[in-house]
Amino acid sequence: MMKPCYLIAEMSANHAGDLSRALEIVHAAKEAGADCIKTQTYTADTLTIDCANDYFSIHEGPWKGRTLYDLYREAHTPWDWLARIKQEADKLGLDYLSTPFDRTAVDFLAELGVNSYKVASFELNDLPLLRYIAAQGKPVIASTGMASLGEIERAVRTVRETGNQDLCLLKCSSAYPAPPDDMNLRTIPHLAETFGVAVGLSDHTLGSAAAVAAVVLGACVIEKHFCLSRSIANPDAAFSMEPAEFRQMHDDIRAVERAMGKVQYGVSAAEEGSAAFRRSLFIVQDMQAGETFTAENLRSIRPGYGLAPRHYDEVIGRRAAGDICRGTPLAWNLVR
């Protein structure tokens, strides 16, 4: 039986600079059915430099007009919060995961006692960082947004060269929000087949349709940005799920997992009550012993208590073994 898909609630910037809200998000994620709460471990200075020239300015999308430094300074989660967030998650029985963006973040999370690491799509091409993460010897979950097949192959090889074989690749569209037409979910089984790894989806679409479909295609991990309310202003609110939406996604995914089941033919346990209403052969006119079975006195109708309809041509033209009342299911002892 397949294991339940692992559901990650990405807090990201949805705490909006408030530790109490961050802890509330942890509780809300647990209530919404998440298996894991995730943060991002960076500062503006570990991601970029404080520069306002054209290279460091955002020209399109939800953060248009801002500099990278300004955006990351607002969106980051203070590192001195992370132990408290992990502690709260541990107390609730919720896994804790974080994305490091440089070596100092990797080391910090190692000291915090994380059990695995997440690699963001934008860092997948940073092979030295990826090597350092993989060398920690803990599971690695890596998003593949924007990456070519060759870039993914180099990333997978880099992880495996450290001796770390515990890798999961997430299909991702690095657009915020991502349009459904850009998801290309058929890539999910191709990733699994090509690289022999567990696969999943880091989903920036609105709603849960893509996530549910991904599970059908073999995703064993789903990552979704998660907030208390999109009305709480922050850089990630517009493409984040609220608790009720995450719960609905959780319920839909669990239902789909049950529905996928196994290869099954014949009458299932749930269908046993319906099997009696299949078609079968019935006598539809009173008949006397020796009378010939014809299309007028023998029909294939519901319910299913008589001989199977496939025997119709075998019976037509033969004779009744005795008197038969209208409404009698045909059985071989009535035929001679």
Side-chain angles (χ1 to χ4, degrees):
M1 186 174 180
M2 66 182 291
K3 294 177 66 176
C5 183
Y6 190 74
L7 304 181
I8 300 173
E10 163 64 84
M11 183 186 304
S12 191
N14 283 301
H15 51 69
D18 185 335
L19 175 57
S20 63
R21 183 179 292 119
L23 299 178
E24 190 177 351
I25 288 172
V26 175
H27 283 260
K30 176 66 175 179
E31 290 296 317
D35 298 297
C36 175
I37 187 72
K38 178 179 168 295
T39 63
Q40 298 183 4
T41 306
Y42 66 85
T43 68
D45 292 299
T46 64
L47 271 183
T48 189
I49 60 173
D50 188 1
C51 182
N53 72 25
D54 201 50
Y55 295 114
F56 294 88
S57 299
I58 303 171
H59 301 290
E60 58 186 25
W63 308 303
K64 181 179 179 180
R66 304 185 67 173
T67 67
L68 292 177
Y69 192 88
D70 177 56
L71 173 66
Y72 300 145
R73 181 170 54 187
E74 177 190 351
H76 87 288
T77 303
W79 292 19
D80 58 5
W81 290 7
L82 299 185
R84 183 72 182 87
I85 291 171
K86 182 179 183 298
Q87 180 184 45
E88 200 69 16
D90 290 344
K91 185 172 70 176
L92 296 174
L94 195 63
D95 291 342
Y96 173 74
L97 176 66
S98 194
T99 303
F101 289 83
D102 77 325
R103 289 191 175 205
T104 66
V106 176
D107 295 341
F108 181 87
L109 292 172
E111 292 179 6
L112 202 62
V114 298
N115 295 318
S116 56
Y117 292 94
K118 169 72 197 303
V119 178
S121 292
F122 295 85
E123 277 61 48
L124 191 71
N125 66 347
D126 189 342
L127 299 185
L129 175 60
L130 189 59
R131 185 177 297 109
Y132 191 74
I133 292 171
Q136 305 302 310
K138 296 179 179 179
V140 177
I141 302 172
S143 289
T144 60
M146 304 169 291
S148 67
L149 191 61
E151 288 173 324
I152 298 171
E153 191 280 328
R154 285 191 288 274
V156 170
R157 186 171 67 246
T158 296
V159 170
R160 288 175 171 165
E161 284 173 350
T162 70
N164 191 333
Q165 303 299 316
D166 202 343
L167 174 64
C168 175
L169 295 176
L170 304 186
K171 177 68 180 77
C172 180
S173 171
S174 295
Y176 302 90
D181 290 351
D182 197 49
M183 294 306 291
N184 297 309
L185 297 178
R186 293 185 191 277
T187 309
I188 290 173
H190 186 263
L191 279 173
E193 180 181 354
T194 302
F195 298 108
V197 294
V199 293
L201 177 68
S202 179
D203 184 16
H204 301 132
T205 62
L206 302 178
S208 60
V212 174
V215 172
V216 176
L217 290 169
C220 60
V221 174
I222 297 292
E223 178 187 42
K224 270 283 197 180
H225 282 251
F226 183 82
C227 66
L228 296 178
S229 170
R230 283 186 291 274
S231 66
I232 300 172
N234 72 84
D236 294 335
F239 51 88
S240 295
M241 268 191 161
E242 295 181 351
E245 296 167 332
F246 197 100
R247 168 53 71 176
Q248 186 62 58
M249 179 186 73
H250 166 278
D251 292 348
D252 290 344
I253 286 174
R254 296 297 178 242
V256 162
E257 289 169 337
R258 294 194 300 274
M260 288 171 66
K262 61 185 179 182
V263 176
Q264 163 72 31
Y265 298 100
V267 179
S268 70
E271 293 173 321
E272 288 177 357
S274 298
F277 301 103
R278 302 178 82 190
R279 299 181 79 94
S280 69
L281 300 181
F282 266 81
I283 303 303
V284 296
Q285 292 180 353
D286 290 340
M287 295 182 66
Q288 295 180 347
E291 187 176 347
T292 301
F293 292 104
T294 68
E296 285 71 36
N297 56 36
L298 179 66
R299 287 178 57 194
S300 170
I301 59 173
R302 295 184 184 187
Y305 296 104
L307 291 177
R310 68 176 183 273
H311 298 298
Y312 180 84
D313 290 338
E314 297 176 57
V315 175
I316 291 294
R318 295 174 70 174
R319 297 183 181 277
D323 294 344
I324 311 174
C325 295
R326 179 177 183 270
T328 300
L330 186 65
W332 283 118
N333 63 357
L334 300 177
V335 181
R336 72 177 190 196

